[in-house]
Amino acid sequence: MMLMLNFRTTCVSTWRKRNIFSTYPAPSSVYQSWKRNIFTLEAPPSVTDNCNRMYQFCSHYEYRRISEDEDLVKTRKLILKKWESECGVVGRIYLAREGWNASFAVPVEKTSEFVNTAANALPFPWRDKFLRKAETLVEDGKDSCNNDANYDRQDSFFNRLHVRIRPKVVQDGLSPEDDKFLEDHITGVKHLPPDVWHETLHRITKKIEDGVIIDCRNLYETEIGRFRGAIPLPINYHREAVKALPDTLSQISPSYPVYIYCTGGVRCEKLAKILHVEGFTNVNQLQGGLYGYLKYSKTLQQRNQQQRETDTPETDHDGNNLFEGKIFSFDKRVMLQSHTDRCSKSDIISKCHQCNRTPSDSVT
């Protein structure tokens, strides 16, 4: 009996160690899960029993400051209850006073229930935009009910849902005064949908239209994949981008079209405003980031397949996809293949750092 009690205590203590920055006790569900398996030494059912469920991935962010009256601790608990406990959502969510950022996956069979209840866990200023985003999950499910391309298993995303309260949505290195100034600054930044972005960049690469493309991600991300003709920022951390972006464009005319992008769009949001403050009048941002473009590229590939089957000449460029290489992902997938219908060594654009010859895209 003493051995079993020690095992139970160790399990709960381990949970607290993994959440060292959290002041909240281990939830009763964790304790009960281990209590049920105390004689078999099995992992909690939430990890083992659902590993074969199919999930639909979604990312969302919003910069909208909430008042000091809003209790982020309460919001965190509500999200864990309504999203994880009731709908089985897995993912990672960051909450801050200035906004929030989420990358999560919803079980396919729970999509409708999630849409109906998820927004109620959020502060009122964040609900409207998120509800419109969540409704797309249902539409995507209808469009791909017989195609698993938009779905994946739980072990390809996250083990469970993690919700963290942070001072900022993204560590950008800006002072509170700078943040306040950018929040009040109204810009004419254009958020281009993936289809418009694709057509615009296609014209730029063909020298039909002027423009400079800037990859606002870290170097280890841009090294394994980027848009054709894009200029990567020389940064290892996002907080360095605030200075590196204006320096990179120092020789560019303020009226010259600038196109910026990142993985999900959240890192470009403030950078686009900074460019506008620096005097650039034609700033364009990829709406939804590379996640949105990856989803759109599947539509392009389906159209290409139909054209090949009907022997219709292709009106687009080779491969239909302007993104070269792979997309670095901040979850267990690590890298996403941008060309979902093929995968070959020609898709690897980076080289081994040791020999500088062998094609390699393994990030270690």
Side-chain angles (χ1 to χ4, degrees), residues 277-303:
V277 172
E278 293 287 336
F280 290 90
T281 58
N282 193 350
V283 182
N284 305 270
Q285 176 183 342
L286 174 57
Q287 180 178 316
L290 291 176
Y291 285 148
Y293 186 82
L294 179 62
K295 179 180 174 182
Y296 171 71
S297 68
K298 296 176 182 179
T299 305
L300 292 177
Q301 292 164 9
Q302 292 174 359
R303 186 180 67 185

Side-chain angles (χ1 to χ4, degrees), residues 3 10 136:
L3 177 61
T10 302
T136 61

Side-chain angles (χ1 to χ4, degrees), residues 32 34 38 69 87 171 236 240 244 321-322 361:
Q32 295 296 333
W34 284 106
I38 201 168
D69 297 333
C87 298
Q171 299 302 319
N236 293 315
E240 301 171 357
N321 199 326
L322 288 172
D361 57 8

Side-chain angles (χ1 to χ4, degrees), residues 108-155:
V108 175
E109 71 276 9
K110 291 281 188 176
T111 303
S112 299
E113 181 180 344
F114 173 78
V115 172
N116 294 330
T117 62
N120 296 330
L122 301 174
F124 184 76
W126 296 347
R127 292 183 184 179
D128 186 51
K129 184 177 179 180
F130 174 74
L131 188 58
R132 295 195 301 269
K133 177 76 172 184
E135 288 174 349
T136 61
L137 290 174
V138 178
E139 298 302 320
D140 292 344
K142 292 177 180 178
D143 294 339
S144 56
C145 58
N146 296 320
N147 182 9
D148 289 343
N150 289 339
Y151 302 147
D152 212 333
R153 302 189 184 279
Q154 178 181 0
D155 54 5

Side-chain angles (χ1 to χ4, degrees), residues 73-259:
V73 176
K74 181 180 178 180
T75 300
R76 177 184 181 273
K77 293 180 179 179
L78 282 174
I79 291 176
L80 287 173
K81 177 184 177 182
K82 292 186 175 295
W83 291 34
E84 183 180 38
S85 301
E86 298 180 4
C87 298
V89 175
V90 295
R92 188 181 296 119
I93 301 175
Y94 298 122
L95 307 176
R97 290 289 171 191
E98 65 176 3
W100 68 302
N101 182 30
S103 297
F104 58 94
V106 184
V108 175
E109 71 276 9
K110 291 281 188 176
T111 303
S112 299
E113 181 180 344
F114 173 78
V115 172
N116 294 330
T117 62
N120 296 330
L122 301 174
F124 184 76
W126 296 347
R127 292 183 184 179
D128 186 51
K129 184 177 179 180
F130 174 74
L131 188 58
R132 295 195 301 269
K133 177 76 172 184
E135 288 174 349
T136 61
L137 290 174
V138 178
E139 298 302 320
D140 292 344
K142 292 177 180 178
D143 294 339
S144 56
C145 58
N146 296 320
N147 182 9
D148 289 343
N150 289 339
Y151 302 147
D152 212 333
R153 302 189 184 279
Q154 178 181 0
D155 54 5
S156 296
F157 294 103
F158 307 91
N159 289 329
R160 55 166 299 175
L161 182 65
H162 296 274
V163 184
R164 301 285 185 263
I165 299 176
R166 288 187 166 184
K168 286 191 169 188
V169 176
V170 179
Q171 299 302 319
D172 48 33
L174 294 173
S175 65
E177 293 76 16
D178 292 336
D179 283 329
K180 184 65 169 63
F181 175 77
L182 290 177
E183 287 177 11
D184 299 335
H185 185 74
I186 300 176
T187 68
V189 176
K190 301 176 183 177
H191 291 73
L192 302 182
D195 55 341
V196 178
W197 173 275
H198 176 83
E199 296 300 329
T200 303
L201 263 61
H202 181 47
R203 292 194 296 269
I204 293 176
T205 55
K206 294 295 184 181
K207 306 298 182 182
I208 302 174
E209 189 174 310
D210 292 332
V212 57
I213 310 165
I214 304 295
D215 192 324
C216 297
R217 300 173 298 158
N218 301 324
L219 281 176
Y220 61 85
E221 299 174 72
T222 60
E223 188 177 17
I224 64 172
R226 56 188 175 271
F227 278 109
R228 192 175 304 170
I231 302 174
L233 293 181
I235 59 174
N236 293 315
Y237 303 97
H238 179 64
R239 60 177 177 268
E240 301 171 357
V242 174
K243 182 179 184 301
L245 183 56
D247 291 347
T248 303
L249 298 174
S250 59
Q251 304 300 320
I252 302 296
S253 170
S255 60
Y256 201 75
V258 178
Y259 299 86

